[in-house]
Amino acid sequence: IPGPLSDVDVRYYIAAADSSGGLATHPAGAPASYHQFHVGADTQPPVITHTPLADFPLMSWPAALSATVTDNLGVNPDSVKVSWSVNSTPQAAFTLARVGLTNSWTGPFPGVTVAVGDTIHYAISAQDVALVPNTARHPASGTHDFRIIDVRGVILVIDDDEVARQAKETKLVPVDGSK
């Protein structure tokens, strides 16, 4: 393969012949079929997919964020960060953690004190592993915003049957529209 190359597509195939006149190629069908790779600068930024958080109950704070982050060559694992503020007062950015070997990244907001009525503004950013990193941001401009709200409601379910009497656990279930 000739070199050095810059900003080109390299196409190749492998052919092998034996002394009996047999010929094999990889991929099959070469030279009409071939392998290919690109040599050049990475100019594609990562892609961030995220569903913005809705208003969030104080009793469940801190909220957790999740996002899907992909890149054609790889995501820098230390770069998936959340910049955020409470009522427009900047807070220290935090890093989302990769979930196993997936493209999912998640993490909770730091446990700073918030109050009902506070507004949280945030954006997610990520860089790829290119020599000159490409950066992506979600949203592309501005921030996602949600408010800290009072509990949406709590329902205590009492079931007076035998199974309920033997239950060892009681759960609080939030309900939209209640205080």
Side-chain angles (χ1 to χ4, degrees), residues 50 52-57 61-65 82 84-87 109 114-115 117-122 143-149 152:
H50 168 69
L53 294 179
D55 290 349
F56 197 82
W61 181 258
L65 283 179
V82 178
W84 69 297
S85 64
V86 178
N87 300 325
F109 280 88
V114 295
D118 285 350
T119 300
I120 309 299
H121 313 275
Y122 71 95
T143 58
H144 295 297
D145 307 318
F146 66 93
R147 288 181 322 112
I148 301 298
I149 58 173
R152 294 183 177 197

Side-chain angles (χ1 to χ4, degrees), residues 36-63:
Q36 177 175 319
F37 62 90
H38 181 79
V39 177
D42 176 12
T43 59
Q44 295 181 3
V47 175
I48 302 172
T49 306
H50 168 69
T51 301
L53 294 179
D55 290 349
F56 197 82
L58 177 61
M59 72 180 283
S60 298
W61 181 258

Side-chain angles (χ1 to χ4, degrees), residues 133-169:
N134 298 292
T135 301
R137 186 178 187 280
H138 197 287
S141 62
T143 58
H144 295 297
D145 307 318
F146 66 93
R147 288 181 322 112
I148 301 298
I149 58 173
D150 202 353
V151 294
R152 294 183 177 197
V154 177
I155 296 175
L156 176 61
V157 176
I158 299 175
D159 189 351
D160 198 20
D161 65 14
E162 187 61 30
V163 174
R165 278 190 285 259
Q166 294 176 10
K168 295 180 179 166
E169 182 178 343

Side-chain angles (χ1 to χ4, degrees), residues 30-114:
S33 298
Y34 47 82
H35 297 289
Q36 177 175 319
F37 62 90
H38 181 79
V39 177
D42 176 12
T43 59
Q44 295 181 3
V47 175
I48 302 172
T49 306
H50 168 69
T51 301
L53 294 179
D55 290 349
F56 197 82
L58 177 61
M59 72 180 283
S60 298
W61 181 258
L65 283 179
S66 63
T68 300
V69 184
T70 58
D71 185 73
N72 62 322
L73 297 179
V75 176
N76 176 343
D78 297 325
S79 75
V80 183
K81 297 187 184 259
V82 178
S83 56
W84 69 297
S85 64
V86 178
N87 300 325
S88 299
T89 300
Q91 305 294 313
F94 62 96
T95 303
L96 297 180
R98 188 173 186 182
V99 179
L101 297 176
T102 70
N103 293 321
S104 297
W105 301 76
T106 188
F109 280 88
V112 301
T113 301
V114 295

